[in-house]
Amino acid sequence: MVRASLQWIGRYGTLLMPLGIVVGCLVQPLAELLRPTLAVCVFLMLAFVLSRLEIQHALAHLRKPKVFLWSLVWAFVAMPALFIALLQVFPQSPGLNAVLIIYATSPPNFGAAALAFIMGLDGALTVATIFASTALHPIITPLFTETFAQGAIAISGLDLAVRLAGLIGGSSLAAWALRSWLGAERRQASAGIFDGLNVIIMMVFAIALMDGIPARVIAQPAYALGLAVLATGLHIGLNAITVAAFWLAGRQRAYTFGYSHSGRNIAVVMSVLGSAAPDDAWLFFAMLQFPIYCLPMLLRPFYLYLLPQRN
């Protein structure tokens, strides 16, 4: 019964996930109660994603590394450079500047791996991209925030790097233990269960993140709406730009990279920063969940139509 329920949740995850935002906004006592679980949710999401990494698939990408390596250059060099250039021309508040730099230098959203399998994209390529990007995360993000965040982050780049390395390293060890315990056959047979668990964790995460957000939106409705529009525009815009950049690498790869790189995962940084992150950063982080949780529901039919061979 539990297995079937988790598989059903995983199958309909794109429809269920927006409920986390709705519940979190409407039931603030529950959001407040779950707020301390944010870091735990991030840890579990990362551990589950890394446990899905099939080594042979990752090595297959590394045997023909040009496109894969270019995707990392695109994510960690081209995109941060574009964001920094835009912020020089159109500067925002220090807190918003800082979170946009974090956004530009973060790896793909962990949930993209589970959703890639659900939506008919190349899940193995998504997981491999997340794995490589996450390994670089403790180096790239602290370097850029220390250099360009203008003191908006209340901890040093070195401290941030140590915290990120601890969380990512701990999640990696948990993923290795889980893979070893399950074995290859059981891990493959449990794919639907992992998808369902990921959806549940993402829903809990969304509920917890909405703690205090409705009050902030009521106090600053125009600003909050502007951040929601900005977050959605970034998500859609980066998806389109990345698809165009990788179109010659093949339609399947282009759509996979576009989806993966558009939903940047700033959850790891925000979870280790805690109160050291500015209020504007937390509000942007909350608004960012709307495209992350809602767009997959709209994109899934589009991908399944364009990539029917992945059904």
Side-chain angles (χ1 to χ4, degrees):
M1 181 65 179
V2 174
R3 183 187 185 94
S5 297
L6 289 174
Q7 290 174 334
W8 183 88
I9 291 171
R11 190 176 305 117
Y12 295 100
T14 56
L15 298 175
L16 295 173
M17 287 194 311
L19 291 176
I21 297 176
V22 175
V23 172
C25 289
L26 295 179
V27 190
Q28 282 290 284
L30 178 60
E32 183 180 4
L33 178 67
L34 293 177
R35 181 63 181 264
T37 68
L38 281 174
V40 176
C41 288
V42 171
F43 180 92
L44 291 175
M45 283 190 286
L46 180 55
F48 282 144
V49 166
L50 295 180
S51 69
R52 291 290 296 272
L53 176 64
E54 297 297 339
I55 302 300
Q56 65 271 23
H57 292 161
L59 292 177
H61 292 300
L62 292 177
R63 280 195 289 269
K64 296 180 178 180
K66 288 185 179 180
V67 174
F68 185 68
L69 292 177
W70 166 238
S71 77
L72 298 181
V73 173
W74 176 261
F76 287 122
V77 178
M79 286 295 99
L82 175 61
F83 271 69
I84 290 167
L86 288 174
L87 290 175
Q88 295 298 317
V89 178
F90 305 104
Q92 305 299 315
S93 68
L96 186 54
N97 280 350
V99 76
L100 288 174
I101 291 170
I102 291 171
Y103 178 87
T105 58
S106 292
N109 185 356
F110 298 155
L115 294 177
F117 287 102
I118 295 170
M119 294 195 300
L121 297 172
D122 189 335
L125 179 58
T126 304
V127 173
T129 302
I130 291 173
F131 182 79
S133 301
T134 302
L136 293 171
H137 194 23
I139 301 171
I140 302 296
T141 299
L143 176 63
F144 275 93
T145 55
E146 181 78 11
T147 306
F148 297 104
Q150 300 175 330
I153 304 299
I155 63 174
S156 68
L158 178 59
D159 192 3
L160 177 57
V162 171
R163 294 188 190 187
L164 285 174
L167 179 59
I168 293 170
S171 299
S172 300
L173 288 175
W176 174 81
L178 183 60
R179 287 173 60 87
S180 300
W181 176 62
L182 288 174
E185 291 185 5
R186 288 174 62 193
R187 193 168 63 249
Q188 184 175 3
S190 302
I193 295 176
F194 279 111
D195 289 341
L197 288 172
N198 264 316
V199 170
I200 291 173
I201 293 169
M202 289 180 72
M203 290 178 68
V204 172
F205 178 81
I207 293 171
L209 184 57
M210 292 302 116
D211 178 34
I213 296 301
R216 181 76 187 274
V217 171
I218 292 172
Q220 296 178 293
Y223 185 59
L225 178 61
L227 290 185
V229 172
L230 174 62
T232 303
L234 287 175
H235 202 99
I236 295 173
L238 287 181
N239 194 331
I241 293 171
T242 304
V243 168
F246 287 91
W247 188 254
L248 293 180
R251 185 171 62 173
Q252 183 186 62
R253 281 180 169 179
Y255 286 132
T256 299
F257 283 134
Y259 177 72
S260 299
H261 288 309
S262 62
R264 297 301 184 93
N265 175 34
I266 68 173
V268 176
V269 175
M270 298 301 292
S271 67
V272 300
L273 284 177
S275 60
D279 289 341
D280 284 351
W282 280 106
L283 184 58
F284 175 82
F285 185 29
M287 296 300 105
L288 186 61
Q289 305 313 304
F290 287 93
I292 288 176
Y293 281 72
C294 296
L295 283 181
M297 179 173 55
L298 303 176
L299 290 174
R300 185 172 187 262
F302 173 78
Y303 288 137
L304 293 180
Y305 173 75
L306 292 174
L307 300 170
Q309 72 276 13
R310 298 295 296 176
N311 285 332

